[in-house]
Amino acid sequence: MTQEIHGTVADGFEDVREEFAAFVAGERPDYEGQLCAYVHGRKVVDLWAGTEADALYGVFSSTKGAASLVVALLVQDGTLELDRKVTYYWPEFAAEGKGALTLRDLLAHRAGVVGTDTGFTLAELADDRQLAERLADQRPFWRPGTAFGYHALVSGALAGEVVHRATGRTLQEVYQERIRTPYALDFHLGLPAPQEPRFRTTQPMAPTPRQQALLDAVPAGPHTLTSIAFNGNAAEPADLASLPNMPLVRAKGPASVGGVASARGLAGMYAAAISELGDRAPLLKPDTVAEFGQPHSVGYDLVARSHRSFGLGFQATADTWHPFLGAGTIGHSGASGSQAFADPWSGLAYGYTRRRFAFPGGAAPENDRLARAVHRAALAA
């Protein structure tokens, strides 16, 4: 039985509802997902199926978008400077030959400390300050600044420690005070206990035989760079697909993977970043959006073992996922299938969440057809 589609779309966005309905009709009967979009600060799409409008999901690496927005704000304020060495803020980071790395290269996944020699405990994965303490002493896995690789579980902790040293506040606290609370966003880095009943447990999705064959072809030894980056070398590796299901992770909201959000929260954050929202000016000036959205690391990703493109903290979304978007689009996807971005050229802010983990991780395939439909309608409007 196909899930019923709920919600509304603005005039001119009817095709988005039809595209969402067509996708849901082809999915499993237990599908749960949400789609939300703004154009120039006006909500134009608010759809969901199989769940409630305000259900909250673990959004995995879409969390990195919130962390990157905090850093962008602090750079815009002059509190942080992109071309200062990380050690200016965090002297201990100089250990093991990392002293020359700049904040710009740290944000662009060029630090070379994707993990540690012995991995992390679950308690460490949930706590950015503990992660940062471990990473400060770690020998880099490539010469910092010379190559890039996805710092999947630690980029938020690395940026967060710089934020903490510069401001005396955690990245999560700055996010709460300057972004989440003023806009009442349903996007949490640290889920308050009263909101727990709204959280929907992430469910795994078994790969098809063809997908399993692709997985089996990837080197899986515990000491490969990919395995280290995803904590596969830990004494007791955690099931990464279940991280948001762990109360400790939800409560602390680690800035790489621990965010909990609805599609409304994801889209609302990116709308606030680039557009007037209510009576508030955009959080970021156009020059800041351009700086952080400009590709900084493009080419072969040593961790993902494929072509990737990163701006500063954000994925270069138009290159990595959706080439129809405007140059300089800022955003980030999440392993469960979530996707969120802001396209400054069209004024589009997009957010998508789903409950069932999408193979193989990152933006779920349906995002291409959904984002394309929203973008087409936004341009026509």
Side-chain angles (χ1 to χ4, degrees):
M1 179 179 178
T2 301
Q3 294 285 2
E4 183 179 353
I5 306 301
H6 302 276
T8 60
V9 297
D11 291 346
F13 288 80
E14 294 84 2
D15 286 352
V16 178
R17 184 185 183 96
E18 293 182 10
E19 192 69 52
F20 186 60
F23 159 69
V24 172
E27 279 293 287
R28 296 164 46 119
D30 62 350
Y31 170 81
E32 293 185 21
Q34 304 164 328
L35 174 65
C36 184
Y38 289 74
V39 175
H40 299 300
R42 180 173 71 103
K43 187 187 292 185
V44 294
V45 175
D46 188 18
L47 299 172
W48 62 94
T51 185
E52 297 79 32
D54 64 347
L56 297 173
Y57 297 90
V59 294
F60 293 82
S61 287
S62 290
T63 309
K64 293 180 175 73
S68 302
L69 181 53
V70 169
V71 176
L73 279 174
L74 294 175
V75 169
Q76 183 171 269
D77 292 346
T79 303
L80 297 176
E81 296 183 27
L82 290 170
D83 294 313
R84 279 200 183 275
K85 294 179 181 178
V86 173
T87 53
Y88 175 82
Y89 307 101
W90 180 10
E92 297 90 334
F93 189 74
E96 300 290 346
K98 303 191 296 296
L101 191 80
T102 64
L103 177 58
R104 185 185 297 275
D105 277 344
L106 182 82
L107 296 172
H109 295 268
R110 306 183 75 85
V113 282
V114 294
T116 65
D117 293 332
T118 56
F120 303 110
T121 66
L122 175 59
E124 289 171 332
L125 285 175
D127 190 320
D128 282 345
R129 297 300 310 284
Q130 290 190 51
L131 283 180
E133 185 176 356
R134 292 284 310 280
L135 293 165
D137 294 332
Q138 175 62 40
R139 168 186 45 79
F141 290 94
W142 62 84
R143 186 176 179 181
T146 63
F148 77 98
Y150 186 38
H151 288 55
L153 300 179
V154 302
S155 64
L158 292 168
E161 190 63 19
V162 173
V163 169
H164 186 265
R165 298 299 182 101
T167 67
R169 310 284 284 168
T170 67
L171 186 150
Q172 288 82 354
E173 288 170 337
V174 178
Y175 171 76
Q176 179 78 11
E177 294 165 3
R178 298 195 58 182
I179 302 171
R180 202 205 72 75
T181 298
Y183 294 92
L185 296 175
D186 246 352
F187 187 173
H188 303 268
L189 302 190
L191 184 65
Q195 302 299 321
E196 276 287 340
R198 298 170 56 205
F199 176 73
R200 300 290 286 163
T201 303
T202 299
Q203 297 178 332
M205 176 180 283
T208 65
R210 180 177 179 276
Q211 291 167 343
Q212 187 61 53
L214 292 174
L215 287 174
D216 292 342
V218 176
H223 304 299
T224 66
L225 199 55
T226 303
S227 185
I228 291 168
F230 287 93
N231 207 43
N233 63 330
E236 296 181 3
D239 177 11
L240 299 181
S242 298
L243 278 179
N245 297 341
M246 301 174 184
L248 180 64
V249 172
R250 293 199 300 278
K252 287 187 172 290
S256 295
V257 295
V260 175
S262 65
R264 290 172 174 174
L266 290 172
M269 184 189 77
Y270 281 102
I274 66 165
S275 304
E276 292 184 5
L277 205 58
D279 59 353
R280 294 180 177 274
L283 284 167
L284 300 182
K285 298 174 181 177
D287 285 352
T288 307
V289 177
E291 179 88 56
F292 275 73
Q294 184 181 55
H296 281 65
S297 293
V298 181
Y300 186 74
D301 182 312
L302 295 177
V303 170
R305 295 191 174 106
S306 63
H307 176 91
R308 290 290 182 95
S309 184
F310 291 99
L312 295 179
F314 299 103
Q315 290 172 329
T317 304
D319 183 23
T320 303
W321 295 111
H322 306 309
F324 51 86
L325 294 175
T329 294
I330 57 172
H332 217 291
S333 63
S336 59
S338 62
Q339 173 70 293
F341 60 78
D343 176 358
W345 292 95
S346 64
L348 172 62
Y350 172 98
Y352 175 75
T353 57
R354 57 180 287 161
R355 185 181 191 188
R356 188 170 291 280
F357 205 94
F359 179 88
E366 64 266 21
N367 278 287
D368 190 66
R369 61 194 284 189
L370 297 176
R372 191 182 296 272
V374 179
H375 183 253
R376 185 167 54 244
L379 293 180

